[in-house]
Amino acid sequence: MAWYPGAEKLELQPESDAQPAIVPTQVIFHSIAAPWTPRRMYEYWRDSTNLESHFGVGYDGQVGQFIGTQTRADANMLANRRADGTGAVSVESASNDQHTDPWTDAQVAALVALGLWLHRQHGIPVRVCRTAEDPGYGYHRLFPDWSDGGTACPGDARVRQFHEVVLPRIAAGANGTGTPLPPPPPDTAPARYRVTVNGLEYGYGAHGPQVREVGEALVAAGHGSYYTVGPDEDWRDADTLNYQEYQRSLGYSGTAADGVPGEESLRRLLGRLPSPRRVSLAHVVAAARTDPGAEQGHQTYGGEVRIVEQALADEGFLEPRWVDGSLGSRTVQAYAAFQRSLGYTGQDANGIPGQRSLRELGLRRGFDVTD
């Protein structure tokens, strides 16, 4: 039995051991007509029906596998009951209850990665099935023999995505004309836990701008090959596998190279440890232009201004009593003094923060600058 390293293993019994073996020659995509996670799909297959699929893909791109790909799953009807022993791998995906909505970007990325793995694992040709028995890729409504007399699953939007996005991306990876998915580590699933480094979460399920920053740094360092689409703010298995590749490039091994960041490797990748304290340059500039002319104590983005004021006070440019979240004239004067200490003159030292000076203050005092 083959198990996809990019999926959570949710093995159905007794089906996984009791059902006949198949030789996979087809991949058939379905919509389950319910907005379910892979675990909810597993519970449905386990408790409510004697039918099942090999895989389930949630709206967020999480993948669950319920049966090994070389064992029959019943969702594809006669596609898994051919006399020659060949069969189809079935992939369910979360959808609305009319299965009319498109796959999300995360689902598309997951289907492409899974489809490419199935091509590599089982030699399934990357083409649309020409008949109900022809090897290749298809969707459930393509042939009546793949259902009990016909189905509308998946809807028109997903059929278009299959032809225009999903299958072309699988083909691009298979042919080397796109960004291919490297072979996964043998018999190991990506690590699925989170850690907190300097107040921010990393690892499977982590979310936030710090996740995107790590992904973009991995790509820049040449370790982004597991991405089928670019990195974003959600940490998935692709992030873990790319980070594991980076850790190994540093000479780490064993549990020290499981793809979950540690403080040392993260600092080496980014040149620093990202901070949970974040300041928008645009917000601080807006406050510097608004607060001095407003009534005493007026705050524009007071929380971010207070971070900058505290940093100026820690650097000795602002009296602590003026750390109040209002970027008034005293804070502008203090920031101008800080700019002059960096060698700026004239209009470059007017007390209105610029990107370089604010980033320098952030580096000194432990906050990150956006924009």
Side-chain angles (χ1 to χ4, degrees):
M1 293 190 295
W3 294 88
Y4 175 44
E8 181 181 9
K9 187 176 181 179
L10 300 166
E11 189 172 11
L12 286 167
Q13 289 292 358
E15 292 89 341
S16 185
D17 290 335
Q19 294 187 162
I22 60 169
V23 176
T25 59
Q26 296 173 326
V27 179
I28 301 176
F29 295 109
H30 302 244
S31 292
I32 201 166
W36 289 348
T37 64
R39 182 163 290 278
R40 178 66 184 90
M41 295 180 203
Y42 163 75
E43 292 168 351
Y44 175 71
W45 302 133
R46 182 193 64 193
D47 301 335
S48 304
T49 179
N50 60 355
L51 300 177
E52 72 286 317
S53 185
H54 289 97
F55 294 93
V57 179
Y59 274 130
D60 62 356
Q62 292 190 50
V63 181
Q65 184 172 0
F66 315 120
I67 290 181
T69 54
Q70 291 159 296
T71 299
R72 188 185 79 192
D74 292 317
N76 295 322
M77 292 294 290
L78 299 180
N80 279 324
R81 289 174 170 79
R82 292 193 281 263
D84 63 0
T86 61
V89 174
S90 51
V91 183
E92 288 284 359
S93 53
S95 70
N96 62 26
D97 56 9
Q98 290 85 36
H99 47 70
T100 55
D101 56 339
W103 284 310
T104 66
D105 289 346
Q107 284 178 306
V108 168
L111 294 174
V112 170
L114 174 58
L116 187 51
W117 179 80
L118 289 166
H119 162 72
R120 290 176 169 166
Q121 183 73 21
H122 298 300
I124 298 172
V126 185
R127 67 185 185 215
V128 180
C129 297
R130 296 164 293 189
T131 68
E133 295 79 26
D134 184 50
Y137 292 70
Y139 43 89
H140 197 198
R141 73 190 231 193
L142 186 58
F143 296 107
D145 285 346
W146 289 352
S147 61
D148 188 13
T151 178
C153 156
D156 292 345
R158 296 188 178 192
V159 169
R160 284 194 299 271
Q161 288 174 300
F162 170 83
H163 287 291
E164 297 173 5
V165 182
V166 174
L167 196 62
R169 288 189 185 176
I170 295 172
N175 296 332
T177 57
T179 303
L181 187 71
D187 301 323
T188 58
R192 285 188 166 173
Y193 68 94
R194 276 172 278 176
V195 296
T196 300
V197 179
N198 200 32
L200 293 170
E201 284 194 330
Y202 301 90
Y204 189 81
H207 173 81
Q210 78 278 10
V211 174
R212 182 187 295 276
E213 183 178 9
V214 168
E216 291 174 346
L218 288 169
V219 171
H223 299 290
S225 56
Y226 283 91
Y227 291 126
T228 54
V229 293
D232 58 21
E233 294 193 355
D234 291 300
W235 192 291
R236 303 184 181 88
D237 288 334
D239 299 277
T240 302
L241 292 169
N242 285 328
Y243 203 92
Q244 182 178 52
E245 186 179 276
Y246 164 69
Q247 289 169 321
R248 288 173 175 169
S249 76
L250 299 179
Y252 297 168
S253 61
T255 57
D258 66 355
V260 180
E263 182 173 321
E264 180 184 356
S265 64
L266 191 61
R267 192 187 297 275
R268 292 176 69 175
L269 177 66
L270 302 177
R272 73 190 209 295
L273 293 180
S275 170
R277 299 196 303 157
R278 306 181 75 86
V279 169
S280 163
L281 173 63
H283 289 174
V284 176
V285 169
R289 297 189 186 281
T290 302
D291 290 353
E295 64 181 74
Q296 181 68 32
H298 176 82
Q299 294 187 7
T300 305
Y301 303 110
E304 292 169 271
V305 167
R306 189 181 295 274
I307 292 173
V308 174
E309 288 179 322
Q310 186 61 58
L312 289 170
D314 293 341
E315 289 288 306
F317 294 102
L318 183 67
E319 291 184 45
R321 63 183 174 135
W322 300 120
V323 179
D324 59 2
S326 176
L327 210 160
S329 57
R330 288 182 177 84
T331 305
V332 170
Q333 292 167 8
Y335 200 91
F338 171 65
Q339 289 169 321
R340 290 193 295 272
S341 76
L342 299 178
Y344 298 129
T345 60
Q347 281 299 110
D348 293 331
N350 63 359
I352 305 298
Q355 187 176 84
R356 291 178 62 185
S357 62
L358 191 59
R359 288 189 184 280
E360 176 61 29
L361 185 61
L363 284 173
R364 294 185 184 190
R365 291 298 166 181
F367 64 84
D368 285 347
V369 179
T370 62
D371 302 334

